[in-house]
Amino acid sequence: MTQPFSKKKIQHNKFTKPNGFSATSANKPYRQSRPSAKPKEVQDPIIVLFNKPFDVLCQFTDEQGRKTLKDYIPIQDVYAAGRLDRDSEGLLLLTNDGKLQAQITEPKKKTFKTYWVQVEGAPTEVDLDKLRQGVELKDGLTLPAKINIMENPTIWPRTPAIRERANIPTTWLTIEICEGRNRQVRRMTANIGFPTLRLIRYKIGQWSLDDLPNGQYRQLDMRSKSV
């Protein structure tokens, strides 16, 4: 059975908690994986928070038979607002609200995402200042990131486990960015010499994982909470 996780307080990094709903197991529906390209407003919006496991594709169908969202999310007509790489874990927001989906994914809206990132090595504040100022990647200069060293979080085990070397320490960081470039966080930490070993998205805008177990979802009650 998957165990929920907790975290210790992180300096300069406050997290808000959504309403406390129970996490629910899921079945396997089938449907198209992409919504209409034109954002639309709906009368009864649905927001689903999902704690995506490692090695799960951020889509509902896959011709190669790999694990996808259909293996976990039985709710009809919801689609991912933004992406999360197959080898990354954590918060994925799904909705039937095209306008909300566009707001979260539109770079100009600057919706901040917070990541818990385990890197190989022990970066110093001088190293982290490079990310706080912005680093030059192949697709251009990154915007300044909010970044801090955090205590090791108490989280679910990953299968397979990360690669660790006995003579090299690892460090957990909180990284907050408002961009969404392909594999951006991994490229940022590699740029300063500290490869990412594990990446968990903890927060998107006002929504966060809190105690949601890995592989389960929470549907928010939109009648009692506005977005």
Side-chain angles (χ1 to χ4, degrees):
M1 179 179 294
T2 304
Q3 297 297 324
F5 65 96
S6 62
K7 62 178 179 62
K8 298 181 179 180
K9 292 184 179 179
I10 303 168
Q11 190 174 8
H12 308 306
N13 213 13
K14 296 181 179 179
F15 301 119
T16 57
K17 293 186 177 181
N19 289 342
F21 294 86
S22 298
T24 309
S25 299
N27 296 316
K28 302 180 180 180
Y30 176 84
R31 61 187 181 278
Q32 296 295 320
S33 58
R34 293 184 180 180
S36 170
K38 184 178 179 180
K40 64 178 181 179
E41 188 172 6
V42 294
Q43 292 184 343
D44 298 310
I46 297 172
I47 292 180
V48 176
L49 306 182
F50 176 51
N51 188 343
K52 189 188 86 66
F54 177 81
D55 201 32
V56 173
L57 292 172
C58 187
Q59 58 197 50
F60 280 97
T61 59
D62 180 60
E63 295 179 354
Q64 300 181 39
R66 295 170 293 183
K67 288 185 179 180
T68 68
L69 300 179
K70 78 177 187 298
D71 295 297
Y72 298 90
I73 308 294
I75 301 171
Q76 296 294 319
D77 301 321
V78 295
Y79 303 92
R83 306 290 296 180
L84 192 60
D85 294 330
R86 181 183 176 189
D87 55 354
S88 297
E89 307 159 72
L91 184 61
L92 185 67
L93 190 150
L94 300 97
T95 182
N96 65 339
D97 188 336
K99 291 187 68 176
L100 175 60
Q101 186 181 49
Q103 176 181 333
I104 291 173
T105 57
E106 173 56 51
K108 292 182 180 179
K109 298 295 184 180
K110 293 188 176 181
T111 300
F112 278 89
K113 292 95 174 176
T114 301
Y115 298 86
W116 294 354
V117 186
Q118 186 179 16
V119 298
E120 185 176 73
T124 66
E125 290 298 320
V126 173
D127 296 316
L128 300 182
D129 279 342
K130 297 175 184 177
L131 299 182
R132 294 178 181 126
Q133 296 169 11
V135 292
E136 188 70 36
L137 303 179
K138 288 184 178 180
D139 51 0
L141 184 68
T142 63
L143 294 176
K146 300 177 183 178
I147 179 168
N148 290 286
I149 296 174
M150 66 182 288
E151 296 185 16
N152 293 358
T154 302
I155 49 176
W156 59 91
R158 202 194 80 170
T159 305
I162 64 165
R163 167 187 56 83
E164 289 191 71
R165 292 186 277 185
N167 59 334
I168 299 179
T170 68
T171 304
W172 280 92
L173 307 171
T174 59
I175 299 179
E176 187 176 355
I177 60 175
C178 63
E179 298 179 281
R181 306 186 199 184
N182 184 46
R183 301 181 72 81
Q184 180 174 343
V185 172
R186 296 178 187 275
R187 291 190 290 143
M188 287 168 58
T189 66
N191 181 275
I192 63 169
F194 300 93
T196 291
L197 300 175
R198 190 174 182 187
L199 190 150
I200 297 170
R201 185 160 63 194
Y202 176 75
K203 189 175 181 183
I204 302 172
Q206 63 180 295
W207 298 281
S208 56
L209 279 180
D210 291 313
D211 59 353
L212 181 62
N214 190 232
Q216 298 193 19
Y217 70 88
R218 174 185 296 123
Q219 182 173 350
L220 302 186
D221 185 354
M222 304 313 295
R223 295 170 298 177
S224 61
K225 182 183 176 87
S226 63
V227 300

